[in-house]
Amino acid sequence: SEEKRDNLEQIINKLNINTIYQTFSSDYLEESNDEFIKYLHKKNISVYHLTGEREWGLGNDMKYIYKEIDLVYNFNKNNKNKLDGIAFDIEPYILEEWTDESLEIYVSKMKKAYKYAQEKGIYFILVIPYWYDNLNLELLEELFKDAGDEFSIMNYRIKSTIKNIENEVKFAKKYNKKINTIAEVGFKDEDKFN
């Protein structure tokens, strides 16, 4: 609606936004309606399909991950205004089944997903927590080497932001990967944006 678009425009301008991570339904992506992407690209804003379920990080099944990559691939193939890539926020460590050995399964799956996305020409962002290096530094390095074009680090401890991502920054530099840090900030009311 016009009202929602005006509201989005205000937020984009106030916060100087240049990237949007948006969860698109499969219906939206299959309909091939690229008007929203066109609108954002005209404002020089990159748009990524944000997706992921906790369960996707464990087990051997890749079908849901591949399906999301295929949705972006087909959307881009069928539209003039293309998504800039895909961002996976899977967070399997929240599951009860998660053990320290689960990280190896997750890394293996993300490597397969990244390879599949590369074959389709899809830019691949992986969202991970800041503490994987505390579990296994070698697996974190493997993740940076072979499982993404870019990494978004969930780093909510504002007082130790830089310290928390020292290894991630080191690996990003070593393997020439983009990296950004995500901080959650809570506002009690909308006046905080004014």
Side-chain angles (χ1 to χ4, degrees):
S1 75
E2 193 68 34
E3 182 181 334
K4 285 182 181 179
R5 192 165 282 194
D6 289 344
N7 191 16
L8 178 61
E9 180 107 19
Q10 287 177 8
I11 292 169
I12 287 169
N13 293 333
K14 280 185 181 183
L15 299 178
N16 197 27
I17 291 173
N18 61 15
T19 306
I20 290 182
Y21 304 90
Q22 172 69 45
T23 300
F24 295 100
S25 70
S26 56
D27 289 342
Y28 176 87
L29 293 173
E30 289 167 353
E31 286 173 8
S32 297
N33 179 349
D34 66 347
E35 286 303 310
F36 181 64
I37 311 301
K38 178 180 178 181
Y39 165 77
L40 292 170
H41 281 171
K42 279 187 178 180
K43 299 187 165 305
N44 294 315
I45 296 172
S46 300
V47 187
Y48 297 90
H49 173 46
L50 175 65
T51 188
E53 296 290 338
R54 298 169 186 155
E55 295 77 15
W56 298 355
L58 298 179
N60 296 320
D61 192 356
M62 294 294 294
K63 71 179 174 186
Y64 297 108
I65 293 170
Y66 289 164
K67 179 184 177 202
E68 293 296 314
I69 294 168
D70 287 339
L71 283 168
V72 172
Y73 172 78
N74 289 326
F75 180 89
N76 285 352
K77 186 174 74 171
N78 296 324
N79 285 286
K80 181 179 176 186
N81 301 286
K82 302 173 183 340
L83 288 162
D84 294 286
I86 192 165
F88 279 101
D89 182 6
I90 294 179
E91 304 184 48
Y93 49 84
I94 295 173
L95 296 170
E96 286 182 26
E97 305 92 280
W98 177 265
T99 65
D100 288 348
E101 292 79 37
S102 297
L103 183 58
E104 191 170 348
I105 296 166
Y106 171 76
V107 170
S108 174
K109 290 186 81 168
M110 294 307 99
K111 287 168 60 176
K112 289 176 187 173
Y114 179 51
K115 184 177 182 201
Y116 189 75
Q118 285 181 305
E119 291 168 0
K120 301 280 187 175
I122 305 295
Y123 190 82
F124 191 96
I125 299 172
L126 193 56
V127 179
I128 61 172
Y130 73 88
W131 47 262
Y132 276 165
D133 53 348
N134 296 334
L135 294 180
N136 189 314
L137 190 61
E138 291 79 22
L139 284 175
L140 177 69
E141 182 172 5
E142 194 175 323
L143 204 60
F144 271 82
K145 181 180 177 210
D146 297 321
D149 295 302
E150 183 174 333
F151 294 84
S152 295
I153 314 303
M154 293 180 286
N155 189 12
Y156 303 152
R157 297 191 178 188
I158 301 301
K159 291 182 180 177
S160 53
T161 303
I162 295 170
K163 182 180 179 292
N164 284 344
I165 62 168
E166 287 173 345
N167 287 316
E168 289 83 354
V169 170
K170 177 177 75 174
F171 294 142
K173 286 180 181 178
K174 182 176 181 178
Y175 297 107
N176 197 28
K177 306 289 180 150
K178 290 185 179 180
I179 186 171
N180 58 67
T181 186
I182 302 169
E184 260 188 14
V185 290
F187 296 102
K188 293 188 179 180
D189 55 51
E190 291 184 23
D191 292 337
K192 300 288 183 185
F193 287 111
N194 295 330

